[in-house]
Amino acid sequence: MEIGKWPEKIAGLLKKYKYPIILLCIGMILMGLPSFSGEKEPAAGETAAVPTSPEPGVQEELEQILKNIYGAGDVKVMLTISQGEKTLYQTDVVSGITENSQDTDTDTVIVSDGNGGEEGLVQQKLSPVYQGAIILCQGADSPSVRLAITQAVSKVTGLPTDRIAVLKMK
């Protein structure tokens, strides 16, 4: 094959496969763009909720309560959180109408503590959202103990009973 005929061959291939080549180029361009996970940034007046482990005090207090259930014996609790505690701050919304548009400005209310420090005015604190619970206890072989523990954990955490596992401790 002669080198002089390569441009003609390439032109013929480009003409024949132009649509697959165009799709391939579009795909490569889209792969190069930054990806967006769909998570929105926190709106003005709220903090981002970072999934964390629950405060140790919550698990320990729940363990102490569950140990007092008749027949439960020694108890260990593990809670997982899908959404951590969230703090909502008070905001001021100022709207203004001009000739051609409407402007809205949102500002977080800042309060001074008297010592030169400033912080946002807390409007509401939302409790963490639990994802699941595992409870290990010595009396888990008894159905009545498992039921009592499952109901107690469900009432405290707000978890549905299918997200609570009560297992026998060795």
Side-chain angles (χ1 to χ4, degrees), residues 7-168:
E8 294 171 5
K9 290 273 190 185
I10 292 175
L13 288 174
L14 287 176
K15 189 173 185 182
K16 183 176 180 181
Y17 296 108
K18 69 179 171 185
Y19 294 115
I21 292 172
I22 290 172
L23 287 175
L24 180 66
C25 291
I26 290 172
M28 290 174 59
I29 291 170
L30 290 175
M31 286 176 34
L33 293 176
S35 64
F36 299 101
S37 63
E39 295 179 11
K40 62 178 187 114
E41 290 191 22
E46 68 180 62
T47 60
V50 178
T52 59
S53 60
E55 295 180 25
V58 173
Q59 290 184 161
E60 290 170 2
E61 189 174 3
L62 190 56
E63 283 177 8
Q64 293 303 316
I65 291 170
L66 294 177
K67 284 179 185 178
N68 292 320
I69 293 176
Y70 180 77
D74 194 26
V75 177
K76 296 288 183 193
V77 174
M78 178 181 159
L79 297 172
T80 57
I81 292 182
S82 64
Q83 178 179 331
E85 184 177 86
K86 188 184 258 187
T87 303
L88 300 177
Y89 293 98
Q90 183 67 40
T91 58
D92 283 337
V93 179
V94 179
S95 296
I97 300 175
T98 60
E99 293 177 15
N100 299 332
S101 66
Q102 179 177 353
D103 294 330
T104 303
D105 187 28
T106 305
D107 293 321
T108 302
V109 176
I110 304 294
V111 291
S112 174
D113 64 3
N115 295 329
E118 295 180 340
E119 59 183 42
L121 180 62
V122 176
Q123 178 184 18
Q124 185 178 12
K125 283 196 177 233
L126 302 175
S127 299
V129 177
Y130 293 100
Q131 184 174 353
I134 296 175
I135 291 58
L136 299 176
C137 72
Q138 293 174 336
D141 50 352
S142 167
S144 62
V145 170
R146 280 199 317 265
L147 177 63
I149 288 175
T150 303
Q151 287 177 339
V153 172
S154 178
K155 298 290 184 198
V156 170
T157 62
L159 285 169
T161 56
D162 65 328
R163 296 203 174 232
I164 301 169
V166 181
L167 306 170
K168 177 112 174 110

